[in-house]
C-alpha cells in the first residue's frame, strides 16, 4: 500500500524545508523529498542556500574580509601583526564545517517537528501522486492531498565558457578553490559574480569582471550603483562593462577568454574563470507529461500570486517560480502556501522583498529606486546620509557609502530604502519593517535611535527627506 500524506514537498532548500516544517507545525502529515548528496555521499538538506549558496559564500566572504582587514587596515588602529597569511584549505574547511552543521540542523528540525524525510528524486504524476526514485533505484508512489514543488535552480552555463569545475568553474566550483588564483576572471557582474570575485580579490587575486551590459547593477538605485562601481574599482576589481564573452580556450592550467566590447574583439588570459551569468529553474524530470502543471515562457513553473500552479492542490515556490531568486523569498512563499492550505488568508508582499549584495561595503535595498519612481511619474523627496558623518562608522573605520531614503512628495510615505555601507543588510531590514507598516519619513525621523549606531544613518536620512537632518547640511530646506 502506498504512503499517503497531507503535504508532500519536493526539494529541501529554504523554500521546501521551511514549508515542510511549517506544515508539520500546523498539524499536517508531511513528507519532504530531497536527492542532494554531500561529498561523503550522504543526504544533505538545505538546498542551494545551505550547501553551495548563501551560507558558504558568506563564510568565505567573512573569512576573506578578516584577512583583508588584518592586512590592510589593522595599522590604523595601532595594531601591528607579523606577516598575515591565508591558509586557503583551512578557510574552505571552516566553510564546510558550517555547512555540515546547518544541513544537519535541518535534519534535526525535521525530526523534532515530525516531518518524514525521504531521500531520492521526486516527480509529480497526475492526480497529485508523487513518484519517488530512491538511491538504490527502487520506485515508490506516494499519495498527497497537496504537493509543493520547490526544486530550486541551478547555474546557467553558456557555450562560450563550458564549465569543467577545474579551470572554468561555476559558483559551486568557486567555493572550492584550494589556492588563490593569480589572475581570476568572472563572467557576469551580478550578485554572485561580485560576491565571489570579492572573496578572491581580498585574498590577493587580480580580478577582472566581464559584464555584457553597459550599465552596472541595473536593478539597484543609480546613485548606489555609481558609488559601488567607484568603490570596487578603488579596491582593485577591474569591472569591464559592455564586455560580452564570446569564447574561451583552456590551455593546461589557464584559459584565454575572448570578448567583444566597443573596440571590437579582445583577448585576456586567466588562471581561473568563474561563470556567474545567472541561474535557471530546475524542472528536469520533475513533471510527468500528464501532471497538468504548466511552465511559463521562460521555463519557470507557472503560478499565480499565491504560488498555486495550474493544478488545484499543487503549488510551486522559490527559485523555480517567477520573481527574485532569493532564499528569504522562497521561505516566505513556503509559509504562505502552507497557511493557505490550512485555509488561512495569507499573502506575501512582493514589493518588500529586500535585496542584498554582500560585498564590502554591503549593498542592500527594499522598495523602489529613484529612477523607477521617476519613470512612473511619482514625485519624490529624497534624503541621504553619508556614513562618513556617522560617529559609529568613524569609530569602526568603516565610513564608505550612504543611506538613501525616498518618500512620496505628497504623502511622505517611504517608497524605497537604499543602503551602501557597513551592515547595509541589517539596516535595510529596518527600512523594510517601517515600509511594511506604512511609515512616513517623518515617522521614522521621530523614532528614538540608540547612539552611537550605524542605524542613526537611517534616522538622519529619514530626517533629511524633509530637510531636517541634524548631522549634515540639508540640501532641502524646510
Ligand atoms: P534550492 O535552494 O535550489 O533547493 C532546491 C532543492 O531541491 C535542492 O536541494 C535540490 O537538490 C532539490 N531537488 C530539485 N529537484 C528535485 C527532485 N526532482 N527531487 C528531489 N529533490 C529535488 N539568496 C539569498 O537570499 N541570500 C544570499 O546571500 C544568497 N547567496 C547566494 C550565493 C550563491 C553562490 C548562490 C548560488 C545563491 C545564493 N542565493 C542567495 C540564492 C539562494 O541560494 C536561492 O534563492 C535559494 O536557495 C532558493 O531556494 P529554493 O528552496 O527555491 O531552491
Ligand atoms: P545575475 O543574473 O544577476 O546573476 O547576473 C548575471 C550577469 O551576467 C548579467 O548581468 C548578464 O548581463 C551577464 N552576462 C550574461 N552572459 C554574459 C556574457 N556572455 N558575457 C558577459 N556577461 C554576461
Amino acid at each position: 500500500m502506498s504512503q499517503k500524506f497531507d503535504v508532500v514537498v519536493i526539494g529541501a532548500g529554504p523554500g521546501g524545508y521551511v514549508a515542510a516544517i511549517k506544515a508539520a507545525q500546523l498539524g499536517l502529515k508531511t513528507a519532504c523529498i530531497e536527492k542532494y548528496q554531500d561529498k561523503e555521499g550522504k543526504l544533505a538538506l538545505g538546498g542551494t542556500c545551505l550547501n553551495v549558496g548563501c551560507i558558504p559564500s558568506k563564510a568565505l566572504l567573512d573569512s576573506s574580509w578578516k584577512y583583508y582587514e588584518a592586512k590592510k587596515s589593522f595599522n590604523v588602529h595601532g595594531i601591528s601583526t607579523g606577516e598575515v597569511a591565508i591558509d586557503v584549505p583551512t578557510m574552505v574547511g571552516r566553510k564546510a564545517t558550517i555547512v555540515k552543521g546547518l544541513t544537519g540542523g535541518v535534519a534535526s528540525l525535521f525530526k523534532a517537528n515530525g516531518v518524514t524525510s525521504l531521500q531520492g528524486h521526486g516527480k509529480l504524476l497526475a492526480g497529485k501522486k508523487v513518484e519517488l526514485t530512491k538511491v538504490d533505484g527502487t520506485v515508490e508512489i506516494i499519495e498527497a492531498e497537496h504537493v509543493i514543488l520547490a526544486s530550486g535552480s541551478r547555474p546557467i552555463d553558456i557555450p562560450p565558457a563550458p564549465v569543467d569545475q577545474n579551470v572554468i568553474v561555476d559558483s559551486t566550483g568557486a567555493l572550492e578553490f584550494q589556492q588563490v588564483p593569480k589572475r581570476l576572471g568572472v563572467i557576469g557582474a551580478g550578485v554572485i559574480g561580485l560576491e565571489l570575485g570579492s572573496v578572491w580579490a581580498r585574498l590577493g587575486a587580480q580580478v577582472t569582471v566581464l559584464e555584457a551590459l553597459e550599465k552596472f547593477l541595473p536593478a539597484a538605485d543609480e546613485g548606489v550603483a555609481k558609488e559601488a562601481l567607484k568603490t570596487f574599482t578603488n579596491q582593485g576589481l577591474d569591472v569591464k562593462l559592455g564586455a560580452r564573452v564570446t569564447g574561451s580556450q583552456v590551455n593546461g592550467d589557464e584559459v584565454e577568454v575572448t570578448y567583444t566590447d566597443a573596440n571590437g574583439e579582445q583577448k585576456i588570459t586567466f588562471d581561473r574563470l568563474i561563470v556567474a551569468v545567472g541561474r535557471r529553474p530546475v524542472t528536469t524530470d520533475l513533471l510527468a507529461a500528464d501532471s497538468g502543471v504548466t511552465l511559463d515562457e521562460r521555463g519557470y513553473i507557472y503560478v499565480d500570486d499565491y504560488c498555486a500552479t495550474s493544478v488545484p492542490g499543487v503549488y510551486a515556490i522559490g527559485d523555480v517560480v517567477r520573481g527574485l531568486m532569493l532564499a528569504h523569498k522562497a521561505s516566505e512563499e513556503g509559509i504562505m502556501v502552507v497557511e493557505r492550505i490550512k485555509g488561512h488568508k495569507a499573502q506575501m508582499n512582493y514589493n518588500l522583498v529586500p535585496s542584498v549584495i554582500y560585498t564590502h561595503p554591503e549593498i542592500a535595498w527594499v522598495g523602489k529606486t529613484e529612477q523607477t519612481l521617476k519613470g512612473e511619474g511619482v514625485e519624490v523627496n529624497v534624503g541621504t546620509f553619508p556614513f562618513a558623518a556617522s560617529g559609529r562608522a568613524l569609530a569602526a573605520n568603516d565610513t564608505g557609502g550612504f543611506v538613501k531614503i525616498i518618500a512620496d512628495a505628497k504623502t511622505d510615505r517611504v517608497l524605497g530604502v537604499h543602503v551602501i555601507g557597513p551592515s547595509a543588510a541589517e539596516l535595510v531590514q529596518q527600512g523594510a519593517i517601517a515600509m511594511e507598516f506604512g511609515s512616513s519619513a517623518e515617522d521614522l525621523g521621530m523614532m528614538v535611535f540608540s547612539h552611537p549606531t550605524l542605524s542613526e544613518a537611517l534616522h538622519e536620512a529619514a530626517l533629511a527627506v524633509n530637510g531636517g537632518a541634524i548631522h549634515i547640511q540639508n540640501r532641502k530646506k524646510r
Side-chain angles (χ1 to χ4, degrees), residues 10-16 33-36 47-49 52-54 57-58 120-122 150-153 171 192 279 282 286 317-319 325-328 330 358:
I10 301 181
I33 301 175
E34 174 59 64
K35 62 180 174 186
Y36 186 83
T48 303
C49 171
V52 291
C54 322
S57 59
K58 264 79 262 176
H121 179 96
S151 52
S153 64
S171 57
I192 293 175
R279 299 179 63 80
V282 170
L286 179 70
I317 58 173
D319 282 9
M325 285 186 161
L326 291 168
H328 42 285
Y358 290 87

Side-chain angles (χ1 to χ4, degrees), residues 158 160 187-193 210-213 218 243-246 276-279:
I158 48 170
I187 311 180
V191 179
I192 293 175
L210 301 168
E211 168 56 57
L213 300 177
R244 174 170 294 279
V245 173
T246 53
V277 295
R279 299 179 63 80

Side-chain angles (χ1 to χ4, degrees), residues 366-369 373 378-380 406-408 413-417 435:
V366 64
K368 293 190 177 175
T369 61
L373 288 162
V378 181
E379 255 182 76
V380 295
I406 309 170
D408 190 304
R413 189 175 177 142
V414 177
L415 301 176
V417 176
M435 289 173 73

Side-chain angles (χ1 to χ4, degrees), residues 9-17 32-37 44-58 61 118-124 131-133 149-155 171-172 175 191-193 195-196 279 282-287 317-321 324-331 333 354 356-358:
V9 183
I10 301 181
Y17 86 72
C32 185
I33 301 175
E34 174 59 64
K35 62 180 174 186
Y36 186 83
Q37 294 178 8
L45 306 174
T48 303
C49 171
L50 262 49
N51 289 288
V52 291
C54 322
I55 299 300
S57 59
K58 264 79 262 176
L61 279 158
L118 300 171
Q119 182 174 6
H121 179 96
K123 180 175 183 174
L124 179 71
E131 178 188 270
L132 168 67
T133 307
L149 304 167
S151 52
S153 64
R154 62 180 160 77
S171 57
T172 302
L175 297 167
V191 179
I192 293 175
E195 289 188 0
L196 295 175
R279 299 179 63 80
V282 170
T283 51
T284 322
D285 209 22
L286 179 70
L287 308 167
I317 58 173
D319 282 9
V320 78
V321 304
L324 295 170
M325 285 186 161
L326 291 168
H328 42 285
K329 176 256 190 190
S331 302
E333 285 181 336
V356 183
I357 309 175
Y358 290 87

Side-chain angles (χ1 to χ4, degrees), residues 383-436:
T384 55
F385 189 82
F387 285 104
S390 151
R392 191 72 191 89
L394 281 158
N397 189 39
D398 205 353
T399 53
F402 55 83
V403 176
K404 173 171 176 176
I405 296 186
I406 309 170
D408 190 304
K410 291 200 184 83
T411 63
D412 196 37
R413 189 175 177 142
V414 177
L415 301 176
V417 176
H418 303 266
V419 185
I420 174 166
S423 301
E426 307 293 341
L427 295 186
V428 105
Q429 196 60 44
Q430 301 181 28
I433 294 168
M435 289 173 73
E436 185 69 52

